Amino acid sequence: MPKLLVIDDDRAILAIAERTLSPIADVVTASTAGDGLKKLRSTPFDAVLLDIQLPDQNGLAAFCEIREYDRRIPVIFMTVEAASETAIEAMQLGAFDYIAKPLSVDPLRDLVEKAIEQRQISSVPVAISADETAADKSAELFIGRSPAMLEVFKAIGKVAKQNVPILVRGESGTGKELVARALFQHSHRADETFLAVNCAALPDNLLESELFGHEKGAFTGAESRRIGKFEQCNGGTLFLDEIGDMAPTVQAKVLRVLQEQRFERVGGNKELTTDVRIIAATNRPLEQMVSDGDYREDLLYRLNGVTIDLPPLRDRLSDVESLIRFFLAQAKLEFNKPDLEGLSPDAVKSLTNYEWPGNVRQLRAVVRRCVLDTVMPVITPEVLPTEIHNSPKSNDSTTDSETVEKSEESGTQLPQLVRRLLQERSTNVYAEAMEYMESYVILQVLRSTGGNQSQAAETLGITRGKLRDRINTYKIELKSDVVVKENE
Amino acid sequence: MNDQQRTRFGEALQRLGGDEETMEMMATIVTEDAPKVLERWSDELQAKDLDAYARTGHALKGLLSTFETNEPVSRIQPLIDDARKNDVAAVRTSHASVVPEIDELLSEISAIL
């Protein structure tokens, strides 16, 4: 039977603990810190219930001695002032939890059971250790030895020093910007400027001004001349992310820079020259967009002379362990968790079985979140987000949100969706909420135009290509009525 | 325990999972320990040892809160705070009025036995 040590100078508390917890543990009591620490050193315990104010020693000081002796023992503080700064300090020091006095027996029993369970799970040797030296060994991009990633490394090596435009393709979160940076760092331009622009983050007119600059008075609000990124980056490398989300006018100007290295500022007549290497990235189907008339074919061919395809993480699950090791070491240093030992085998199993729809970015966020959340030296499956912990092999976790998205009156359940994602400790709240909102807006606008995509695109203020892309993404069917396909 | 006591200490009984035997055990401990703690508390005020007074007040609050979290137990915390601020006058005034109320609570608790 597990052993529990209860340290409190209040006889009533010791009596409650003995009476309530004896069915689940051998309860040993001590009324001073000194007595408790003596008992702790002579017998192995699975958890400790510790009063925050003891007659011979402050509970926090006693806690530090317990940790020094055995940092794996979960310590639960008991305090009359649950919201006190001492309780907060206890949690910051690494206490397992704290419980308010007067004690309620049911929550007390649940908490002690949880602590004992944690102690047992975290006594299992770690499957992946949190070794700080792994944090600075190499850049995140170069982690992994899967065949797919080896092809990426080879491609970077082959083309980095060639002065040609490069198109990096891959799903969101696969690390396209990291590839762009690696290409830059290994190029002849490594000592020059590297700038990144997200083409999807700016409205078309602002994007044009951002890239090419503008003359004073070019448009309302243009109070002075502004230098654009192509000028600013002369001699360097410009990373154009989300290149598929670019208006035709901007596409034409970018094409001209690629062909002739020439351009004009918005509202200007003077032709300027620049020497910029362009690295572009997208997760959009550019060839389909060309067929649909939404993307310039000549620009696509200029851009994709050399293409690097980044595989989604689900296609290189053998790299997950290495990535976890790297992110774990980084987070351990960043969040100052010197006691963190690593991940339990079960936690690693859950992580390596998951399909990672948000790719490496999601994995990084999950590992960081776990390091922040854990109060034990070993991260166990309980600390993982629900969608990973409960359904490692399936996409069941998305079923609810898909149901919400596909409900006929979608759009009404955003607060519920966000609440559920928060409860599940999702690490993809922003993306899921934005997808939900976007599908709702597009569906409503398409309904208002009777399915007319040109009108809908105009109303939405996006290109027809982007609208078509979203229609495919959200499986919107354009029949006599606009509906979302079910069961897909 | 009679029905009146079950109502009077309903919240405490609920915290103990409705276990009247445990409740009676707690009443025994509190009846034995609280008067000694209360006496020490008054002595510490008399000796103007407000550090000790605050610590004992904290222990008293913990002991009595098993049965009652509202008045008079809730009145102990402001006394602890005043003692930590070394405000003897404020502590004296409140102490004089809270002790009889605590005595009354202790009588109610001992009546459970």
PDB file of all heavy atoms in Angstrom, chain A residues 399-414:
ATOM      1  N   THR A 399     -13.581  15.782 -34.355  1.00  0.00           N
ATOM      2  CA  THR A 399     -14.946  15.457 -34.736  1.00  0.00           C
ATOM      3  C   THR A 399     -15.938  16.495 -34.216  1.00  0.00           C
ATOM      4  O   THR A 399     -16.784  16.968 -34.965  1.00  0.00           O
ATOM      5  CB  THR A 399     -15.341  14.071 -34.190  1.00  0.00           C
ATOM      6  OG1 THR A 399     -14.348  13.174 -34.604  1.00  0.00           O
ATOM      7  CG2 THR A 399     -16.671  13.647 -34.712  1.00  0.00           C
ATOM      8  N   ASP A 400     -15.766  16.861 -32.964  1.00  0.00           N
ATOM      9  CA  ASP A 400     -16.708  17.808 -32.390  1.00  0.00           C
ATOM     10  C   ASP A 400     -16.696  19.133 -33.121  1.00  0.00           C
ATOM     11  O   ASP A 400     -17.721  19.682 -33.460  1.00  0.00           O
ATOM     12  CB  ASP A 400     -16.364  18.060 -30.910  1.00  0.00           C
ATOM     13  CG  ASP A 400     -16.810  16.890 -30.071  1.00  0.00           C
ATOM     14  OD1 ASP A 400     -17.468  15.997 -30.631  1.00  0.00           O
ATOM     15  OD2 ASP A 400     -16.477  16.887 -28.878  1.00  0.00           O
ATOM     16  N   SER A 401     -15.467  19.614 -33.376  1.00  0.00           N
ATOM     17  CA  SER A 401     -15.411  20.921 -34.012  1.00  0.00           C
ATOM     18  C   SER A 401     -15.937  20.832 -35.433  1.00  0.00           C
ATOM     19  O   SER A 401     -16.569  21.751 -35.921  1.00  0.00           O
ATOM     20  CB  SER A 401     -13.986  21.466 -33.983  1.00  0.00           C
ATOM     21  OG  SER A 401     -13.130  20.603 -34.662  1.00  0.00           O
ATOM     22  N   GLU A 402     -15.674  19.675 -36.092  1.00  0.00           N
ATOM     23  CA  GLU A 402     -16.203  19.545 -37.436  1.00  0.00           C
ATOM     24  C   GLU A 402     -17.719  19.533 -37.405  1.00  0.00           C
ATOM     25  O   GLU A 402     -18.372  20.127 -38.246  1.00  0.00           O
ATOM     26  CB  GLU A 402     -15.681  18.272 -38.086  1.00  0.00           C
ATOM     27  CG  GLU A 402     -14.264  18.459 -38.601  1.00  0.00           C
ATOM     28  CD  GLU A 402     -13.627  17.176 -39.057  1.00  0.00           C
ATOM     29  OE1 GLU A 402     -14.325  16.152 -39.061  1.00  0.00           O
ATOM     30  OE2 GLU A 402     -12.438  17.208 -39.383  1.00  0.00           O
ATOM     31  N   THR A 403     -18.262  18.877 -36.400  1.00  0.00           N
ATOM     32  CA  THR A 403     -19.704  18.836 -36.288  1.00  0.00           C
ATOM     33  C   THR A 403     -20.234  20.247 -36.091  1.00  0.00           C
ATOM     34  O   THR A 403     -21.200  20.657 -36.709  1.00  0.00           O
ATOM     35  CB  THR A 403     -20.116  17.958 -35.086  1.00  0.00           C
ATOM     36  OG1 THR A 403     -19.481  16.715 -35.247  1.00  0.00           O
ATOM     37  CG2 THR A 403     -21.611  17.770 -35.049  1.00  0.00           C
ATOM     38  N   VAL A 404     -19.523  20.983 -35.262  1.00  0.00           N
ATOM     39  CA  VAL A 404     -19.938  22.363 -35.026  1.00  0.00           C
ATOM     40  C   VAL A 404     -19.856  23.149 -36.324  1.00  0.00           C
ATOM     41  O   VAL A 404     -20.781  23.819 -36.739  1.00  0.00           O
ATOM     42  CB  VAL A 404     -19.043  23.017 -33.950  1.00  0.00           C
ATOM     43  CG1 VAL A 404     -19.336  24.499 -33.873  1.00  0.00           C
ATOM     44  CG2 VAL A 404     -19.283  22.366 -32.613  1.00  0.00           C
ATOM     45  N   GLU A 405     -18.716  22.949 -37.043  1.00  0.00           N
ATOM     46  CA  GLU A 405     -18.531  23.699 -38.279  1.00  0.00           C
ATOM     47  C   GLU A 405     -19.590  23.362 -39.315  1.00  0.00           C
ATOM     48  O   GLU A 405     -20.013  24.200 -40.067  1.00  0.00           O
ATOM     49  CB  GLU A 405     -17.168  23.373 -38.873  1.00  0.00           C
ATOM     50  CG  GLU A 405     -16.050  24.081 -38.169  1.00  0.00           C
ATOM     51  CD  GLU A 405     -14.700  23.554 -38.597  1.00  0.00           C
ATOM     52  OE1 GLU A 405     -14.642  22.802 -39.569  1.00  0.00           O
ATOM     53  OE2 GLU A 405     -13.738  23.884 -37.934  1.00  0.00           O
ATOM     54  N   LYS A 406     -19.965  22.077 -39.289  1.00  0.00           N
ATOM     55  CA  LYS A 406     -20.866  21.646 -40.340  1.00  0.00           C
ATOM     56  C   LYS A 406     -22.335  21.800 -39.968  1.00  0.00           C
ATOM     57  O   LYS A 406     -23.185  21.490 -40.762  1.00  0.00           O
ATOM     58  CB  LYS A 406     -20.561  20.191 -40.678  1.00  0.00           C
ATOM     59  CG  LYS A 406     -19.240  20.048 -41.410  1.00  0.00           C
ATOM     60  CD  LYS A 406     -18.908  18.608 -41.559  1.00  0.00           C
ATOM     61  CE  LYS A 406     -17.558  18.464 -42.254  1.00  0.00           C
ATOM     62  NZ  LYS A 406     -17.132  17.091 -42.313  1.00  0.00           N
ATOM     63  N   SER A 407     -22.591  22.223 -38.756  1.00  0.00           N
ATOM     64  CA  SER A 407     -23.995  22.349 -38.390  1.00  0.00           C
ATOM     65  C   SER A 407     -24.639  23.428 -39.247  1.00  0.00           C
ATOM     66  O   SER A 407     -24.000  24.395 -39.623  1.00  0.00           O
ATOM     67  CB  SER A 407     -24.128  22.691 -36.910  1.00  0.00           C
ATOM     68  OG  SER A 407     -23.744  24.021 -36.698  1.00  0.00           O
ATOM     69  N   GLU A 408     -25.872  23.190 -39.557  1.00  0.00           N
ATOM     70  CA  GLU A 408     -26.579  24.069 -40.493  1.00  0.00           C
ATOM     71  C   GLU A 408     -26.528  25.527 -40.024  1.00  0.00           C
ATOM     72  O   GLU A 408     -26.357  26.432 -40.805  1.00  0.00           O
ATOM     73  CB  GLU A 408     -28.022  23.573 -40.622  1.00  0.00           C
ATOM     74  CG  GLU A 408     -28.786  24.182 -41.771  1.00  0.00           C
ATOM     75  CD  GLU A 408     -28.156  23.897 -43.131  1.00  0.00           C
ATOM     76  OE1 GLU A 408     -27.341  22.969 -43.256  1.00  0.00           O
ATOM     77  OE2 GLU A 408     -28.495  24.617 -44.070  1.00  0.00           O
ATOM     78  N   GLU A 409     -26.651  25.723 -38.745  1.00  0.00           N
ATOM     79  CA  GLU A 409     -26.631  27.089 -38.229  1.00  0.00           C
ATOM     80  C   GLU A 409     -25.251  27.398 -37.656  1.00  0.00           C
ATOM     81  O   GLU A 409     -25.116  27.938 -36.575  1.00  0.00           O
ATOM     82  CB  GLU A 409     -27.711  27.252 -37.158  1.00  0.00           C
ATOM     83  CG  GLU A 409     -29.124  27.301 -37.718  1.00  0.00           C
ATOM     84  CD  GLU A 409     -29.298  28.305 -38.841  1.00  0.00           C
ATOM     85  OE1 GLU A 409     -28.798  29.445 -38.721  1.00  0.00           O
ATOM     86  OE2 GLU A 409     -29.918  27.952 -39.859  1.00  0.00           O
ATOM     87  N   SER A 410     -24.223  27.004 -38.383  1.00  0.00           N
ATOM     88  CA  SER A 410     -22.875  27.245 -37.874  1.00  0.00           C
ATOM     89  C   SER A 410     -22.669  28.749 -37.665  1.00  0.00           C
ATOM     90  O   SER A 410     -23.311  29.563 -38.287  1.00  0.00           O
ATOM     91  CB  SER A 410     -21.839  26.716 -38.846  1.00  0.00           C
ATOM     92  OG  SER A 410     -21.935  27.445 -40.036  1.00  0.00           O
ATOM     93  N   GLY A 411     -21.756  29.069 -36.796  1.00  0.00           N
ATOM     94  CA  GLY A 411     -21.498  30.476 -36.499  1.00  0.00           C
ATOM     95  C   GLY A 411     -22.044  30.855 -35.154  1.00  0.00           C
ATOM     96  O   GLY A 411     -21.632  31.836 -34.554  1.00  0.00           O
ATOM     97  N   THR A 412     -22.983  30.059 -34.665  1.00  0.00           N
ATOM     98  CA  THR A 412     -23.600  30.405 -33.387  1.00  0.00           C
ATOM     99  C   THR A 412     -22.855  29.776 -32.218  1.00  0.00           C
ATOM    100  O   THR A 412     -23.157  30.050 -31.080  1.00  0.00           O
ATOM    101  CB  THR A 412     -25.056  29.905 -33.340  1.00  0.00           C
ATOM    102  OG1 THR A 412     -25.024  28.498 -33.527  1.00  0.00           O
ATOM    103  CG2 THR A 412     -25.898  30.568 -34.404  1.00  0.00           C
ATOM    104  N   GLN A 413     -21.911  28.911 -32.530  1.00  0.00           N
ATOM    105  CA  GLN A 413     -21.310  28.143 -31.434  1.00  0.00           C
ATOM    106  C   GLN A 413     -19.846  28.477 -31.170  1.00  0.00           C
ATOM    107  O   GLN A 413     -19.125  27.680 -30.607  1.00  0.00           O
ATOM    108  CB  GLN A 413     -21.469  26.656 -31.721  1.00  0.00           C
ATOM    109  CG  GLN A 413     -22.942  26.266 -31.767  1.00  0.00           C
ATOM    110  CD  GLN A 413     -23.114  24.786 -31.980  1.00  0.00           C
ATOM    111  OE1 GLN A 413     -22.438  23.983 -31.360  1.00  0.00           O
ATOM    112  NE2 GLN A 413     -24.007  24.424 -32.873  1.00  0.00           N
ATOM    113  N   LEU A 414     -19.428  29.650 -31.617  1.00  0.00           N
ATOM    114  CA  LEU A 414     -18.020  30.023 -31.400  1.00  0.00           C
ATOM    115  C   LEU A 414     -17.642  30.035 -29.914  1.00  0.00           C
ATOM    116  O   LEU A 414     -16.615  29.463 -29.541  1.00  0.00           O
ATOM    117  CB  LEU A 414     -17.724  31.376 -32.060  1.00  0.00           C
ATOM    118  CG  LEU A 414     -16.273  31.839 -31.970  1.00  0.00           C
ATOM    119  CD1 LEU A 414     -15.329  30.889 -32.680  1.00  0.00           C
ATOM    120  CD2 LEU A 414     -16.107  33.238 -32.552  1.00  0.00           C
TER     121      LEU A 414
END
